[in-house]
Amino acid sequence: MKTLDHYLDRAREVSGFPSDRALARALPAQAATVNHWRTKRSLPSDELMCKLARFGGEDETAALVHLNCWRATGHAAELYIELAKRVSAAAIIAGLSFGIFAPSPAEASTRISERPVSAQTVYIMENMMGSIP
């Protein structure tokens, strides 16, 4: 399971924040608050956890499940850990399914170029391939 430090480090790395202080300003939160997260004295709110996940390119749903794993105690903690495993497994399955069933960019280009294109047609692959002729 991912840790809070993982989310803090990813947010800084992906979003280019040079320090925890810069990350705190962007959230917005006090620098001391982020320091408390680093030293395990407190945990972020749900909203700030979602922002951390977004800044780090992480799944917000999984981040909230992890946050509740860290907050919970006793039997509830065990259930949240099980939920975290299920969310991770579902994400892996969804990723594999998309990879298996989605056409390659070359196949999508061929399929698109064989069909007449109307002004109202939207192609998902357009974002990956650029403008469609």
Side-chain angles (χ1 to χ4, degrees):
M1 178 172 37
K2 294 177 182 175
T3 64
L4 181 53
D5 284 336
H6 167 84
Y7 286 100
L8 292 166
D9 293 340
R10 286 287 298 165
R12 283 188 52 192
E13 177 186 324
V14 171
S15 294
F17 299 117
S19 64
D20 282 353
R21 182 176 297 275
L23 173 60
R25 275 192 300 271
L27 283 171
Q30 297 294 318
T33 300
V34 175
N35 182 297
H36 287 181
W37 298 345
R38 284 275 186 204
T39 57
K40 313 300 183 264
R41 287 184 275 176
S42 67
L43 293 168
S45 67
D46 291 358
E47 285 302 315
L48 290 178
M49 191 67 202
C50 288
K51 284 186 178 182
L52 277 177
R54 274 195 307 272
F55 285 164
E58 298 279 343
D59 182 281
E60 292 178 59
T61 303
L64 286 177
V65 171
H66 290 142
L67 177 61
N68 281 287
C69 287
W70 308 325
R71 285 181 182 155
T73 59
H75 183 63
E78 294 170 12
L79 294 174
Y80 273 115
I81 290 169
E82 180 61 29
L83 183 59
K85 290 176 186 174
R86 290 181 186 185
V87 168
S88 294
I92 290 169
I93 290 169
L96 289 175
S97 296
F98 183 75
I100 291 170
F101 298 114
S104 70
E107 290 171 337
S109 177
T110 302
R111 290 179 191 170
I112 290 169
S113 64
E114 292 173 352
R115 297 172 35 185
V117 179
S118 73
Q120 297 176 352
T121 305
V122 176
Y123 293 101
I124 294 171
M125 297 304 294
E126 183 174 5
N127 288 335
M128 293 176 61
M129 298 170 40
S131 189
I132 298 174

